[in-house]
Amino acid sequence: MKIRSVDVKVLKLPLDQPYTAGGRAVGANWHVMAEITTEDGVTGFGYIVALNQMFIGTVAEATRELAPLLTGMSVAEPEAAWRKMGRAGDWVGPGGLLHYAIAPLDIAIWDAFGKTLGQPVSRMLGGARDRLPVYASDGFWYSLSLDDLAASARQAFDAGFRAVKLRVGNEKHPDGEVARVKAVRDAVGPSVSIMTDATESWSVDRAIRTGKALQEAGVVWIEDPVSHTDIAGMARVTAALDVPVATGEHLYRIADFTRLLEARGTGIALIDLGRIGGVTPWRHVASLAHGFGVPVGGHVLPEIHVHLLTAVPNAQVVEYVPRSAALLRKMPAISDGTLVVPEGGGFGLELDHDAVRRFTV
């Protein structure tokens, strides 16, 4: 089980259809990937994804600098490995660059650990279930017209999704945001759940005003209505609305989630695998939220998050944004509106090595 070698790559996956998200143009999905090989010949891999090239090279170099620390360590001791990497880089952490650099290595360790045991990570972390409801989150951007938004919703429905998430926050009046929800509702009917993501674009007062309009329109959650730094404001919005506020994807530390949860600043805690630093700390945040009676969700990387979320009792739904699908032989299956945990050890994923070579920068 001891680690023999680690390889780190940067990959660029160009998009066929660029889009605008959070006010930024997105033309490619950038990856920092780590592959760990044990002395027994088992290989595990992990990666983080970013929407632009800025600092990708820096993260990759930091990951490469951390990698030699793992040589000779056992993949059966991910907590010890994380602590060793965290201590080595604590002068630039916790959080930020350090967590992004650790995440691909930590994910790869868990993948190799699961493959060594012949068990899926979902079962190793608790095995609460083998599938979870999934929502489509790709193709519902600000930049789409109402007709294009409706077409994306119909396409998602035809692909088996029974929930979708729209980006809002770009309209001058709440009625404009409601119109986006209505366009999707008219396209897919009453059986589909509709989430909204405001990408931190509103003031507290506007979030409350628009949030009430959106909940009247039938949405099931409102994500990131105000800045993640405004915990008091998030708590005001959460208290004012009947539908849950979902937030947390911009937080880097367990202590940040503790403050958010103590303030009653969210109804659904969203955990970003890169920002939190990988699987090892992710599970601690999920347990923390469970103690507060708060459900959890992931942020992107559905092929990894399906394992983490199905492992814990307080998970609600998986976000489906297949930003890494071109690197894999296949994505986890969608069945009856749920994402199913793949069979096999580790994360049950197989790299398309020709694609990896083609996209490596």
Side-chain angles (χ1 to χ4, degrees), residues 23-103:
R24 299 178 181 179
V26 180
N29 291 318
W30 290 83
H31 291 63
V32 175
M33 175 184 290
E35 291 184 85
I36 284 175
T37 303
T38 71
E39 293 176 352
D40 302 319
V42 175
T43 299
F45 66 92
Y47 44 72
I48 56 98
V49 185
L51 300 183
N52 62 70
Q53 187 179 0
M54 183 64 69
F55 295 123
I56 279 292
T58 305
V59 172
E61 189 55 38
T63 302
R64 291 188 184 103
E65 290 193 41
L66 290 169
L69 299 175
L70 302 178
T71 303
M73 296 195 73
S74 173
V75 295
E77 299 173 346
E79 195 75 56
W82 204 102
R83 186 168 63 250
K84 187 174 184 179
M85 291 186 288
R87 285 179 176 173
D90 60 6
W91 73 280
V92 293
L97 170 65
L98 178 60
H99 283 196
Y100 267 120
I102 290 175

Side-chain angles (χ1 to χ4, degrees), residues 233-275:
M234 200 75 74
R236 283 181 55 199
V237 177
T238 297
L241 300 180
D242 296 326
V243 295
V245 168
T247 193
E249 69 183 55
H250 292 95
L251 303 183
Y252 285 86
R253 299 181 301 163
I254 297 170
D256 297 331
F257 278 95
T258 300
R259 285 191 287 271
L260 178 68
L261 291 164
E262 286 178 341
R264 305 298 181 195
T266 188
I268 302 169
L270 303 179
I271 316 169
D272 181 274
L273 197 55
R275 290 189 177 101

